[in-house]
Every structure is written in structure tokens, then in C-alpha cells.
Amino acid sequence: MTAATAPARSAPPRARRVPPAAAPARLLRIELRRSSMLWLLPLLAVLFYVSTYRPAMDNPPFWNIRGDMVQSRAMLVFAPLLAGAGAWIGSRDGRRGLVDLVGVTAVPRWAGQVVTWAAATIWAELLYLAGVAVLYGVTARQGAWGGPLWWPVAVGTAVVAASCALGFAAGARLPGRFTPPLAALVTFLALAGGAFAIQDNSRYAQIWPLNVQGPFPANSYAIFYPYLPDLAIAQVMFLAGLAAAALGALGLPAPAGGRWLRGAAAAITVAGLAAAGTAVGLAGTDRVEAHGMVIPALHNAASDRPTPYTPVCSHGAVPVCLQPAYRSFLPEVTAALGPLLGQLAGLPGEPVRVTQVAVTTVQSASSNGIGFGGPAIGGRPPALYLPLAGVSLPGEGSTSAEFIALLRGQYGPSIVNELVGLPASMAVIGVNSAGNPGHAAQFAVAQALDRALNGTAPARPRGTGASPPQAGLQAAVGRFAALPAAQRHAWLAVHLAALRAGRVTLSEIP
Amino acid sequence: MTAAEVGRPAPRLAPSRGTRAPGAARTGLRLIRLYLASRRVLGALLVLVACALALRTALHWLPRTGVFSRQIPLIIEAGAAAAIGVTARSPFGEPERVTGRWLPVLRLGGTVALAGAAFGALAAGAASAHLAGGSIGLLRDLGGLVGIALLAAAVAGGGLSWIGPIGYLGVTMAAVTGAWATPWTWPARPPHDRGAAICAALVFAAGLAAVTLRGARDPAARE
């Protein structure tokens, strides 16, 4: 055999080129399989049940209440643990003394760190979203009106990602045994401090990630109007900015990667800080409006269009119509207001129906409080417009009996005051504070009606003895309350217009 | 010296009956110092001081009543307990476990001393300020949280022991706002609640016993 006839050697197999994106993807698969976050998932599931699911089930099935809980309650528990777990995972290479070793692998160190964070975050997000899916699924099966609120879930997922990122960055920079508990502790304290700052009515504290709609109680928004996402958008921007800044800062040191990679990390860090700062600034411009928190720069006018609905009504002498989300409370509302309105039926100006309406006026109060406009009588024929916002519903901290008593106590005097022509707020003032003598007769009739209709005890004068005008007022209240209902009704039918105009004196009250 | 005398201690080296070797005390102190250094006790003490300062600062700003007045001190107590739990981690693992005759005593002493230091530091931080629950409540809550941290160290390892008190804190937050009645959520109970005190004491004793007898779980694959 000559060289010419020698069989040609087959060419060596060509090395298979690995696409640049394949290495991080493969690394992500490996990290997903061995992430320490997997060991935390059972604990997180238990905590979600205890802190969020169980309290949510103790409340009535309203999407706004459940949505509030998946943001505020779940994140109060998740964020510190995830920050600690992120620190633990981030400090892995440092604890094992592998920093130099992993620094010379094919995948740049920064990319490897980001992949490790992503794997941990994916598991945490999956668990959180699974918990939300169960909670929202059960809520839908309970017949909640409307649809689920997704913006609180978006904020929740951003909190999960940001907690993991901040903890991860702390662990990677300071790999020690005290770093994870300190990361968890600092996160807990930051969340608590944010709540405290909000209580102090600090404007910029509205960005606090557990803040759903500022001072609005959970049952007071996203019923008559769509959920206003302004604050949630700012929160997501803030949290995403924090996460980007934390992760970007990991890529700044020289061993993190090449020049381009470090440049990209620096750009991400700056962009993250800018986004977070902008979000805080935007949160500082928010204002309390009737349907939620509004940030002018982020507000969409489409959110101001009311949500259409068909009311559900009772069929008594004075029909009570509620928004369908409140369908299950129709018997209680009817029981609370029906007897009161029934006794006043037929009087001029007396409402012939009760209609639940959206809140039209709100007022910020101290300690992150809010005041809602009360009921009002208006229209032709007259109707009682009843906002139920902010009232503790049955199952939401009160029983049905307490709810009925609350409605009677809160709205009964207002209705009576409206009837006799007094300011609605005067109902809460005692006999001694009748103030304007021109209103004395109206006040006496209102007090007497309150007493007769609600069976309340007569208001006692303060101090040792009543002054002569107060004694006259009390005497008129006692006389009118002691009248038979039919006689009271007949007198009011004749004299109500004069009473409203202030032309009736105390002595003329029978 | 004959072959028969080989192996006998030299007369001048034999300790006199009833007295200890002159270097024994020094050796014991060195052992304690090395044990404390291996557990990063100095770092834990610094964390405890930081917790005391944080409590002092918080109590200056906090209202005397309300949910915040209970929750924020509790968070700081959980941080102190987590720091104590983390010190249970041994960097040596099995070799130390096999050869360390005095290890259970060192673990017991070190943990009790740290728990005492935590109580002292936090009590000093709360001095001349209003701490909801008072010193009795602080002792009960901190003791229970330390017990949880030690149990978590025995189960999950010293490095992950912080999960115990921080996770329990999450349950406690729900218990405080929901006014749970079970004594196992002792921070939500009044300071003089006997059942809550018993539960906290039981958890502390169980954690102390677990760490004393078994030590923290060795660093495993999760680390």
C-alpha cells in the first residue's frame, strides 16, 4: 500500500459551538434544581396560609379585601424571609471560599450571580403566585362580584424580586454568618418603619410596598370605579429600580466580568436608582380622591369611568338597593334602615327608597385616616343615597347584629337630621351642644325621633344641673318622644316645613 | 531507668493529689476562648448591642400603645434571637463532635451566656422607656424566640437557624393583629399569661437541650 492508496482519515469531529445564551440557560437549569430556596418553600407556604389565606377567608369575599391581603399581609411575612434567603444564597461562594474559582469560569461572574438570583426568585415567585391563584380561585367560587385585582399581585411579585435581589447583593458583598439574619431583620424593620412613616402622614412614605391605597380601607375602593393603579405603578417602578440597582452593583467590581459587562452593570445600576428615585418623587405627588390614590403623572382618565352594574333591591315599603357586591348584606341593611324609614314614610321629603352609591367626598385625616361623606337625601322623588365605604362589614371585624347597630347608630341620626333640616353632623352632638337657639326646635325633634326610633337613652346634661334653656330643650325632647308614633307622624306631616324653616319654637312642640 | 519503669510518669510531672495541673485553668480558658472564637460570639455580641440600640431608638419614637408598640420591639427581639442561633454553627463539624469532650458544656454555657447577654442588652435598651409587656414580657418573648432559633439550628443547621425566629415572627404578626388566643403564639398574649410563659419556657428548654446534646446540624449540601 502506498501513501496514495492509504485510506483518508476521517476529519476530527468539529467541536460543537455553544450559542452564547446557552451557558446561562444551562446554568439556570442547574441552579433551579439546587437552589436553597427550594428548602424554604414549605415554610413560605405555611406562612402564606397563616398570614394571608386564613385571615382572607375570615373576611367577606370582596376582591378588594382579598387583593389588599395578597399585597400587604403576604409581603410583610415574605419579604424578610426572602431577603434572608437571598443573602444566604448570595453568600454561597464566599462561605465556601469559591469566589476565585467561579471567577474564572466560562460564564462571567456577574452573569452567574444574576442566574443564581433568578433561580431563587423564580421559585419564590412561583410559590407566591400559586398561593394567590388558590386564594383568588376560592374567592371566585365564593361568588365575589367583579374581577380579581391584579395590581396588588404585581406589586407583590415586585416585592419578592426586590427582596431576593437586595438580600442577594448583601450576601454576595458581605458573606458572613450574620448577614442573612441581619438582612431579614433590616427588611422587617424597614417595613415596620414604613408603616410608621405612613401613620405620620409622610407624603413620600406612600411608596411603602405594603401600602395598597393609602388611607382607604380595603372595602372602600374598586367597587363602583375601577381599581386606580397609580400608586401600584409607582411601587412597581420603585421595587424594580431597587432590584436593578442591587443586581447591577454586583457587576461593578473588576472580577465581575469584562469592560462591556461592567459598563452594562453600571448603566443598570444608574437606571435602577433613577427609577427608584423617580417613583419616590411621584409618590410624593399623590392625592386622596374619592375612588383611591391618584398620582397625576400616572393617572389614566379611563379609570374614572364608573363600573356598570345592576343593583339588587329588597321589596319592602322603602326598597333598599345595593351594589351587587354587597348582595349578601341586603338583609342586614334592610333590617337596619327599614324600621326607621318605615316610621317616617309619607312625610314630605322623606326618602321613598335607599340606594347605595359611591363615595363622592373624602377627607384625609391624621394618622393616615380618612373621612367619607355620609348619607344624603336628594332627588325627586327623594331617595337616601347611602355610601357604605369604610363601614366594618359582617365578617370583617363585626357580626351581623353589630353591623345593624352600627348602621342605625351611624346613619339613623343623619337621616333624621336631614329630615328636620339640621346639618347631618349635628346628630353626634349632645343636647348641651345644641348651640344655635334657632335650631333648638329642630334639634329637640331630631333627638326625640332618635330616641323613639332607636330606643336610645335620653341624653343627660353635663354637670350638676341643666341651665334653663337646656331644661326647656330636654322637656321638649321628652314630650315629643313620649307621643304615640301616629300622633308624632301626624304633627310632623303638618309642621315639618315650618320646622325646617326654623319657625317652630320649643314651646310649640307637643 | 529499667524497662519496667518505661511508661511511668516522671515523678516531677505527676500532679499532687487533690490539686489540678498548673496549666489546667489556662487550658480551660484557652478552650473557652477558642470555642467562643469559632462560634463568632464577638460578632453576636456586636449584633446584640446593635439590637439594643435599635430598641432604644424605636422606643423613643414609638407610641406607648397600639400594634406598633408590640410588633417593632418583637422584630428586634427576633433579630437578637437569630444572632444567638447563628452562633450554634460549628466550622469543624464531625471532628470537633468526636473529639470535643467538653463540647456539650461549652455549648450550654455559651448559649445561656449569650441569651443572658441578649436579655441584659435589650433590657438596658428599654430602660427608662416604655416597653409593651415590660421586662417579664421581654424575658418570655426573647426566651421563646431563642428556643426557636436553637431548635432551627438543630434541625436545619446553625447557618439557617435564623429562619426559625424570623418565620415565627411572621406567624406572630398575624397573631398580634388577629388577637389569637393560643399560648403557642406567646408574643400575642399578655405578659402575665401563664400558659404563654410555659410554652415559651418549654420551647427555650427544648432548644437548649437540643443544641447542648446534639449541637447544630453539620453544614450539609444546602450550604
Side-chain angles (χ1 to χ4, degrees):
Chain A
M1 187 169 73
T2 64
T5 58
R9 293 178 68 181
S10 59
R14 292 177 63 187
R16 204 173 50 169
R17 283 181 66 85
V18 179
R26 185 156 176 262
L27 186 58
L28 179 62
R29 282 200 299 276
I30 294 170
E31 289 286 359
L32 280 172
R33 281 203 302 273
R34 59 194 295 273
S35 175
S36 298
M37 192 63 79
L38 280 166
W39 296 92
L40 260 184
L41 294 185
L43 176 64
L44 289 173
V46 169
L47 287 175
F48 186 88
Y49 172 79
V50 170
S51 70
T52 309
Y53 184 85
R54 198 176 133 172
M57 290 302 119
D58 290 340
N59 278 274
F62 279 62
W63 287 113
N64 47 18
I65 295 175
R66 304 283 165 91
D68 182 289
M69 287 187 170
V70 299
Q71 180 180 339
S72 59
R73 295 226 183 185
M75 288 306 111
L76 177 61
V77 176
F78 271 38
L81 268 175
L82 293 178
W88 178 253
I89 294 166
S91 64
R92 183 184 64 192
D93 295 341
R95 287 198 319 271
R96 294 179 176 175
L98 299 175
V99 174
D100 291 336
L101 192 64
V102 297
V104 294
T105 54
V107 177
R109 174 149 173 72
W110 185 50
Q113 285 178 319
V114 171
V115 166
T116 307
W117 163 81
T121 305
I122 285 171
W123 282 123
E125 298 279 18
L126 282 177
L127 181 105
Y128 173 63
L129 292 175
V132 171
V134 171
L135 180 57
Y136 274 10
V138 172
T139 304
R141 283 178 64 89
Q142 289 176 334
W145 184 85
L149 304 185
W150 295 114
W151 276 107
V153 182
V155 177
T157 54
V159 172
V160 168
S163 304
C164 288
L166 291 169
F168 189 92
R173 282 300 176 93
L174 305 164
R177 66 168 73 188
F178 293 108
T179 306
L182 284 178
L185 177 66
V186 168
T187 308
F188 240 134
L189 285 176
L191 292 177
F196 197 62
I198 279 206
Q199 284 281 322
D200 208 28
N201 282 23
S202 169
R203 289 186 70 81
Y204 295 102
Q206 295 293 337
I207 200 70
W208 182 58
L210 308 190
N211 178 23
V212 182
Q213 279 290 338
F216 284 86
N219 67 9
S220 64
Y221 51 82
I223 295 283
F224 291 92
Y225 288 82
Y227 182 85
L228 295 188
D230 305 10
L231 191 56
I233 292 171
Q235 287 169 331
V236 169
M237 191 193 299
F238 172 70
L239 292 163
L242 283 186
L247 293 174
L250 290 177
L252 297 180
R259 182 187 293 178
W260 286 104
L261 210 60
R262 288 167 58 204
I268 289 173
T269 306
V270 171
L273 289 174
T278 305
V280 173
L282 286 171
T285 66
D286 67 355
R287 60 173 188 262
V288 175
E289 291 204 352
H291 315 307
M293 301 296 288
V294 169
I295 296 175
L298 300 174
H299 190 60
N300 182 359
S303 303
D304 295 333
R305 283 199 287 271
T307 307
Y309 67 92
T310 305
V312 289
C313 298
S314 67
H315 302 289
V318 179
V320 177
C321 293
L322 298 183
Q323 210 276 354
Y326 291 78
R327 178 191 298 271
S328 58
F329 306 120
L330 188 58
E332 282 92 348
V333 176
T334 307
L337 301 179
L340 173 72
L341 296 171
Q343 289 201 40
L344 303 176
L347 294 176
E350 176 57 19
V352 296
R353 70 174 197 281
V354 178
T355 303
Q356 188 192 0
V357 292
V359 170
T360 52
T361 57
V362 292
Q363 196 171 11
S364 294
S366 60
S367 301
N368 199 35
I370 191 168
F372 294 107
I377 298 174
R380 245 176 232 285
L384 172 65
Y385 297 113
L386 185 73
L388 285 175
V391 177
S392 180
L393 299 170
E396 197 193 15
S398 67
T399 63
S400 289
E402 288 168 345
F403 178 62
I404 290 171
L406 184 74
L407 279 187
R408 275 195 190 147
Q410 194 167 335
Y411 292 153
S414 300
I415 294 168
V416 168
N417 279 12
E418 284 261 349
L419 183 76
V420 300
L422 282 175
S425 60
M426 205 170 229
V428 298
I429 304 173
V431 167
N432 293 333
S433 310
N436 186 352
H439 290 310
Q442 291 157 284
F443 198 88
V445 171
Q447 282 281 325
L449 285 173
D450 280 346
R451 194 190 301 178
L453 296 173
N454 296 325
T456 54
R460 293 184 179 281
R462 297 185 194 125
T464 52
S467 60
Q470 288 165 356
L473 187 70
Q474 288 174 53
V477 170
R479 283 199 311 275
F480 196 66
L483 287 179
Q487 201 172 335
R488 248 193 335 256
H489 190 278
W491 186 88
L492 280 171
V494 174
H495 296 93
L496 191 57
L499 183 70
R500 278 182 175 158
R503 294 198 302 269
V504 175
T505 62
L506 283 176
S507 59
E508 290 173 317
I509 296 175
Chain B
M1 178 186 277
T2 63
E5 292 170 336
V6 172
R8 291 182 188 169
R12 66 176 186 277
L13 294 177
S16 58
R17 187 182 293 273
T19 63
R20 302 183 70 182
R26 203 181 313 152
T27 306
L29 284 175
R30 184 163 178 266
L31 181 64
I32 292 171
R33 185 174 60 78
L34 290 175
Y35 174 82
L36 297 180
S38 71
R39 266 53 175 184
R40 302 283 193 273
V41 169
L42 186 60
L45 289 174
L46 289 175
V47 172
L48 294 180
V49 170
C51 287
L53 291 174
L55 183 64
R56 178 82 197 134
T57 308
L59 290 178
H60 178 72
W61 293 102
L62 282 175
R64 295 173 69 88
T65 57
V67 175
F68 288 134
S69 70
R70 298 174 68 189
Q71 285 184 343
I72 291 181
L74 200 58
I75 293 170
I76 295 169
E77 291 164 23
I84 294 172
V86 165
T87 59
R89 176 169 174 252
S90 164
F92 307 114
E94 191 63 21
E96 183 192 59
R97 200 186 296 272
V98 171
T99 56
R101 193 159 50 102
W102 292 100
L103 204 50
V105 178
L106 290 169
R107 288 188 198 127
L108 178 67
T111 309
V112 170
L114 270 178
F119 177 72
L122 293 179
S128 75
H130 176 75
L131 178 66
S135 297
I136 300 284
L138 172 66
L139 182 63
R140 179 196 65 185
D141 297 347
L142 181 67
L145 286 165
V146 169
I148 289 176
L150 297 177
L151 284 173
V155 173
L160 287 170
S161 64
W162 55 271
I163 290 173
I166 299 294
Y168 180 77
L169 197 56
V171 177
T172 304
M173 292 292 166
V176 168
T177 52
W180 293 7
T182 170
W184 291 105
T185 53
W186 53 84
R189 306 293 303 152
H192 293 288
D193 187 302
R194 186 178 297 175
I198 290 171
C199 288
L202 281 176
V203 171
F204 178 72
L208 198 59
V211 161
T212 300
L213 300 176
R214 289 193 59 229
R217 189 175 172 187
D218 284 338
R222 286 195 303 283
E223 298 199 28

